[in-house]
Amino acid sequence: DAKTTQPNSMESNEEEPVHLPCNHSTISGTDYIHWYRQLPSQGPEYVIHGLTSNVNNRMASLAIAEDRKSSTLILHRATLRDAAVYYCILGHTSGSRLTFGEGTQLTVNP
Amino acid sequence: EAGVTQFPSHSVIEKGQTVTLRCDPISGHDNLYWYRRVMGKEIKFLLHFVKESKQDESGMPNNRFLAERTGGTYSTLKVQPAELEDSGVYFCASSQERGWLYGYTFGSGTRLTVV
């Protein structure tokens, strides 16, 4: 499985934008970039995913570099409920599993 | 739509006993997955069902773990006999065909403590 690299932790203030980076230099052409988050005492929750183009949904935006070797999850206005561990995961079209790394622990300050 | 449901939410058993975890996927999701996080480690894949068939069970740690999905609906994961190192949180997830394209929905997990 292709590997991703994320900072261990990040901090943000409430109602400010948050940019969570992810490096995936060994990504293959058919790997999708998935983001999940895990709130305390809950299972992982789907956030967003994309292949080549930037993506937007009600939760977040995903900005993918032109060479696809990195991506950034953007939370436009962080809330206290966004405090969680965020995982950047590559999903291959031929595989079925998600390979979780350590993720980024996001702290949101009031 | 109802999400992925897991029972029980917590279980405390003694070493050597048997425990059965249950997962009810989202209705219509043929794909069902089991993952677990043991103390201090990352979330790890255990196995994948497509309907009632085991598609990939390469993540199952040993033969003390038995997963079933009779009828292609809910799934059970039995640990027999349980060992101390089995303590952790067990997650179930389900997806439509091609989860890598549509995303996976996880349950809240079962926290298993073996004492």
Side-chain angles (χ1 to χ4, degrees), chain B residues 38-49:
Chain B
V38 295
M39 186 62 69
K41 300 290 183 63
E42 298 163 0
I43 298 172
K44 295 288 189 184
F45 167 85
L46 294 179
L47 88 160
H48 168 209
F49 283 101

Side-chain angles (χ1 to χ4, degrees), chain B residues 74-107:
Chain B
Y74 70 90
S75 174
T76 59
L77 179 64
K78 179 188 290 187
V79 185
Q80 179 183 27
E83 299 289 345
L84 298 178
E85 64 263 26
D86 300 331
S87 295
V89 184
Y90 290 75
F91 296 105
C92 176
S94 71
S95 72
Q96 299 174 0
E97 183 180 356
R98 299 181 292 172
W100 45 264
L101 183 59
Y102 297 106
Y104 304 82
T105 303
F106 282 80

Side-chain angles (χ1 to χ4, degrees), chain A residues 30 32 34 36 38 41-46 49 87 91-102, chain B residues 33 35 37 42-45 48 55-56 58-59 91 99-109 111:
Chain A
T30 51
Y32 280 75
H34 288 249
Y36 284 76
Q38 188 174 19
S41 301
Q42 295 189 27
E45 174 188 29
Y46 169 82
H49 76 285
Y87 298 98
H92 196 276
T93 56
S94 66
S96 57
R97 66 176 67 184
L98 293 174
T99 300
F100 288 84
E102 295 183 352
Chain B
Y33 313 81
Y35 290 79
R37 182 204 296 272
E42 298 163 0
I43 298 172
K44 295 288 189 184
F45 167 85
H48 168 209
Q55 185 77 11
D56 180 359
S58 60
F91 296 105
W100 45 264
L101 183 59
Y102 297 106
Y104 304 82
T105 303
F106 282 80
S108 296
R111 181 173 294 278

Side-chain angles (χ1 to χ4, degrees), chain A residues 42-94:
Chain A
Q42 295 189 27
E45 174 188 29
Y46 169 82
V47 178
I48 200 167
H49 76 285
L51 183 61
T52 56
S53 303
N54 294 344
V55 184
N56 299 295
N57 67 21
R58 64 177 179 80
M59 290 182 70
S61 296
L62 176 60
I64 301 173
E66 194 169 336
D67 63 6
R68 301 208 327 125
K69 293 183 183 297
S70 65
S71 61
T72 302
L73 178 70
I74 303 166
L75 306 179
H76 295 286
R77 291 184 64 200
T79 69
L80 297 179
R81 293 182 59 217
D82 291 323
V85 179
Y86 286 78
Y87 298 98
C88 170
I89 302 169
L90 300 184
H92 196 276
T93 56
S94 66

Side-chain angles (χ1 to χ4, degrees), chain B residues 1-5 24-30 69 72-73 94-96:
Chain B
E1 109 188 313
V4 176
T5 307
D24 286 70
I26 291 175
S27 177
H29 281 193
D30 289 339
R69 193 182 181 195
T73 54
S94 71
S95 72
Q96 299 174 0

